[in-house]
Structure formats: structure tokens, C-alpha cells
Amino acid sequence: MKLKLGSYRLFAVGIIMGLSAAAIQAYSFQIQPPEAFGLAFVGHPNNLFGWIANNLPWVNTLVNFPLHEAFLIYPPLTIVGVFIGSGIAAARSKELKLRPGPVRNRFAAVLLGFLVINFGLLWDCDIRTALLVGYGSVLGLIALIAIAVGVILATVYLRARARRGAL
Amino acid sequence: MEAMIATLVVGILIGYMGQRTRFCPISGIRDYFMIRDSVRLKGLFGIIIGGAIGYTLFGFIGGDIPNFPLGLEDLNSTGLLISAIVGGLGLGFFSVFAEGCPFRQHVMLAEGRQGAMYYLLGFYLGIIYFNFVTIKWLGLLLGITG
């Protein structure tokens, strides 16, 4: 039997993400502090990258990345899991192929990644922010509003640029 | 060790679901404001509700959920508040131009999207830059604002 969720499929995925993050925090012990850190797509890549650099011979004599207490001994493998999971899903649906985009200009893509992580590390990603809101954090709510305002500003800019282009 | 395995397993699960559903909270907010389409926005609400249910439930049955609900507890520094606002604004703004949040970019790389590959090149170079340069400015800001 196939469960038909229609447009609520994404809602269901969000619920599963929220429950998974809570379960990781509640039962996989050393994942905290900080709170609501079960899933994070800025914090976890930062910790994984830092952990690899800190444990690589030669490299660790040059750098010492600050890591969250939770990931001093073992790194978070969330990103590795996402690669495996989405790779399997893409292969199963025959979507696994080399193609351009979403940003076609290579330099712009590198620059955007650079800017997103530098702003993201000031706080964290959208998914962890949503988890913090679920954790009852007022600061998380303020950050989520800031993210939404950032998105709206970019949308307004894109609309204005499209209108100018149309004239 | 448990944390490493748990993050790997959950990563596989959400990576699979994220690819099938094109999950991206940033695109959800963008779509709603651009074309009044709320389909992808439901994912964001799902995380908030799922998280709230999960933290309440697991805390209730003995899981390790300290300081729940957080409330105003983490709002004890002006510097942190400024970081949250500036960081959130920048993340939201530039993610729209990148056409997806960091999670979505990792999923798109696994699909073979070249733009996501270059995005993530900048993303991981940015981690180095942040840890060597930006963090020093942040320390200065926190020192000034307390």
C-alpha cells in the first residue's frame, strides 16, 4: 500500500527530520552541547572538515580548527550520509547524471558558497534554526525571521531586476 | 561513536527523502513570496513541529533533552543576537541566488549538478577562511558588545 500525502509530502519529510534530530540528541549522547544540534548543514560540515584537518598528518601541525565538544573524538557524518542517501535516490530515479546548474557561472557559484558559509557560521543553517525554534529558542526564532527577511530581500531584488530587464 | 553512526544513518535517510522531495526550506520561503506557492514551505513547518514533538516526547520518556524549552536562555549576549541576525540575513539572501540551502546543495552535488560542485568548493574554502579570518573579527565584535 502506498501512502498518498500529496502536497504534504514535504511536511512529512520535515516531521521526520525534526523527530530524527530530536532522537539523535536524546539517545546518541555526546551530540550536545549545543542544544538542537542533531542536524545542521553548516555546523556539521564545519566540524567534519575541521576534524579531518586536525587529524591529518602534516596538516595538523599547521592548523587547529575549533570543534564542538561533541565531535572532538568522532566527527559527524551527516554530510556523508546525505551524499549516500541522495545518490541512491538519484540513481534509483535515473536522475544521477552530470549536468550544469543550478548556478551556471562557476565563479559566482564558488563565491556564493563562500559567502553562505561565512554568514552561516555566524549562526547556523536554516534547518538547525528551525530545530531551535522547535526547541523553544527565542534567539532561534529571531534568526529564522532574519533568514526569511534575507530571502524576501533577495526575492524583491530579483523581481526588480526581472522587471528592469522586461522594460 | 554512537553520535557518528547516528548522524550517518540519519544523513542517509534524510538525503534519500530530500532528493525525492526537493526539500529546501529557503526555496520554500522564496516560492511563497515569489509565486504564493506554499508547498515547499510546509517542509520548514514540518521541521519545527517535528522537532517540538520530538524534544517534548523524548524528554518526557527519559531522553537527554536539557534546558527544554530554551526560551530566553540563549539570548544572553548582544553579540550573539547580532551574529544571529547578520548571519541569518546573509544566509537567506545569498542562498536565494545559489538556488538552495546548504542541505539542498549537497543533495544536488550527489545528483551530479556541476554548479553545486563549485558552490561547495567555495563553501569548504569558506570554512578555512572563517576559521582563520572571520572568527577573529567575530571575537572582536563579541568583545565590544559583550
Side-chain angles (χ1 to χ4, degrees):
Chain A
M1 196 182 92
K2 198 173 178 181
L3 190 63
K4 286 189 178 168
L5 293 167
S7 70
Y8 282 93
R9 239 159 55 114
L10 277 154
F11 183 71
V13 172
I15 294 273
I16 294 168
M17 275 191 175
L19 288 172
S20 310
I24 287 183
Q25 181 180 325
Y27 298 108
S28 83
F29 317 115
Q30 311 94 346
I31 205 113
Q32 55 187 334
E35 290 88 359
F37 202 51
L39 281 179
F41 292 93
V42 164
H44 284 197
N46 180 41
N47 277 276
L48 176 63
F49 188 86
W51 187 91
I52 293 169
N54 289 353
N55 285 281
L56 273 180
W58 299 103
V59 178
N60 62 9
T61 57
L62 302 169
V63 295
N64 186 23
F65 283 93
L67 302 176
H68 278 105
E69 205 180 307
F71 302 118
L72 285 174
I73 301 167
Y74 296 106
L77 294 182
T78 325
I79 293 308
V80 179
V82 166
F83 275 127
I84 297 170
S86 47
I88 293 169
R92 281 194 62 186
S93 57
K94 297 183 174 60
E95 288 175 57
L96 185 65
K97 53 182 174 240
L98 206 62
R99 60 211 146 111
V103 178
R104 285 172 186 258
N105 182 321
R106 289 174 186 180
F107 178 72
V110 172
L111 186 66
L112 284 167
F114 184 89
L115 287 168
V116 166
I117 192 69
N118 271 278
F119 278 104
L121 281 170
L122 288 177
W123 172 246
D124 212 316
C125 75
D126 47 344
I127 290 176
R128 177 162 182 253
T129 307
L131 285 172
L132 270 169
V133 175
Y135 211 91
S137 161
V138 174
L139 188 62
L141 183 63
I142 293 168
L144 188 63
I145 293 167
I147 292 173
V149 171
V151 172
I152 294 164
L153 288 175
T155 310
V156 169
Y157 172 78
L158 286 173
R159 266 189 184 158
R161 206 173 65 169
R163 237 178 257 135
R164 246 182 284 136
L167 285 174
Chain B
M1 187 73 167
E2 294 100 339
M4 188 177 77
I5 296 167
T7 50
L8 178 68
V9 172
V10 169
I12 293 172
L13 176 75
I14 63 168
Y16 189 92
M17 292 186 307
Q19 198 280 332
R20 296 310 306 135
T21 54
R22 312 280 184 267
F23 187 92
C24 176
I26 294 281
S27 306
I29 303 170
R30 182 202 60 194
D31 288 356
Y32 184 74
F33 281 97
M34 230 171 180
I35 50 173
R36 295 277 173 243
D37 178 1
S38 64
V39 172
R40 292 176 97 178
L41 194 59
K42 287 172 187 160
L44 179 65
F45 291 119
I47 299 177
I48 297 171
I49 295 166
I53 293 170
Y55 294 125
T56 310
L57 182 72
F58 295 129
F60 188 69
I61 57 174
D64 189 16
I65 311 286
N67 308 323
F68 177 77
L70 261 179
L72 293 165
E73 230 169 277
D74 55 352
L75 196 61
N76 49 13
S77 142
T78 316
L80 204 57
L81 179 66
I82 295 169
S83 283
I85 294 171
V86 174
L89 274 171
L91 181 95
F93 188 83
F94 293 112
S95 290
V96 171
F97 293 99
E99 294 187 32
C101 68
F103 168 72
R104 181 81 190 118
Q105 297 288 341
H106 283 88
V107 170
M108 284 194 284
L109 177 63
E111 291 173 350
R113 303 291 292 269
Q114 288 165 321
M117 188 176 74
Y118 289 106
Y119 172 94
L120 289 173
L121 174 69
F123 187 86
Y124 286 98
L125 284 174
I127 288 179
I128 300 171
Y129 184 84
F130 183 89
N131 283 294
F132 283 104
V133 182
T134 315
I135 210 163
K136 286 183 181 146
W137 286 102
L138 192 63
L140 196 68
L141 174 78
L142 286 170
I144 293 166
T145 58

